Amino acid sequence: QCVGSPGPSTGTAGGPYRATEDVDIIDDAGNLVVNGFQTGEWLAYTVDVPATGDYRIELRASTTHPNSSFHIEVDDQDVTGPIAIPTTGGWSTFRWVETESIRLTAGKRVIKVFANQEYFNLDVIRIERESSASAKPRATPYKGTPWRIPGVIPAEKFDLGGEGVGY
């Protein structure tokens, strides 16, 4: 189930798919895409979470704007804070943008994608449960103790954890 917010402009610019709702949906080379998310717009998706746990939410999005961002809400609570969408180089060039792990409790939940800063296109949303095998490892402070700040941190003493974690 999906419910969309009325955006700053009214009426759909996206053709016949869900034409009675004020959400711009376009056909991008045979693929339906929510087009031109504007600041303050949101889409809600009712989901059934099978088990309480940590989940990762990923959006496949595109933008040519350098400041586009969104956040995720679960049951009307912001659970991510702003997440930047890197410029993809074109409106038809999509890239996966992921959140940190989000704790979801079992049962019916409403997940909203909320546009903090316009403009971006949205292709799909992927929600996956984190497992010990799929969870990203966490960095460990070099020598086991976090650096005190203010202070000086030698560049070569970055966190332990391997590629994609410490570097």
Side-chain angles (χ1 to χ4, degrees):
Q1 178 180 359
C2 168
V3 177
S5 70
S9 59
T10 57
T12 58
Y17 186 76
R18 295 180 77 155
T20 60
E21 300 179 48
D22 286 337
V23 176
D24 298 336
I25 301 171
I26 62 169
D27 184 327
D28 183 13
N31 191 33
L32 294 175
V33 173
V34 175
N35 180 58
F37 248 106
Q38 296 181 38
T39 303
E41 290 184 331
W42 52 266
L43 292 175
Y45 301 87
T46 300
V47 299
D48 186 12
V49 179
T52 297
D54 295 327
Y55 291 80
R56 185 177 61 248
I57 299 176
E58 298 171 291
L59 274 58
R60 191 164 179 267
S62 68
T63 186
T64 60
H65 293 263
N67 299 316
S68 298
S69 70
F70 69 95
H71 71 266
I72 300 292
E73 294 183 4
V74 176
D75 297 334
D76 293 319
Q77 298 296 313
D78 182 346
V79 295
T80 63
I83 298 171
I85 302 172
T87 301
T88 61
W91 291 110
S92 295
T93 304
F94 291 87
R95 174 180 179 169
W96 287 105
V97 181
E98 69 180 59
T99 67
E100 294 293 323
S101 288
I102 297 168
R103 187 79 173 168
L104 296 176
T105 54
K108 183 178 166 185
R109 302 280 164 250
V110 176
I111 295 178
K112 285 184 185 174
V113 176
F114 189 99
N116 293 332
Q117 181 66 44
E118 58 197 21
Y119 291 97
F120 62 93
N121 288 354
L122 178 61
D123 179 18
V124 296
I125 301 163
R126 180 167 53 198
I127 303 172
E128 294 182 347
R129 180 147 188 205
E130 296 276 21
S131 67
S132 56
S134 69
K136 289 186 177 179
R138 300 289 179 211
T140 302
Y142 186 79
K143 298 244 178 175
T145 305
W147 294 98
R148 290 183 163 255
I149 53 173
V152 176
I153 304 170
E156 74 278 6
K157 295 188 177 181
F158 53 86
D159 285 352
L160 302 174
E163 187 173 355
V165 178
Y167 60 91

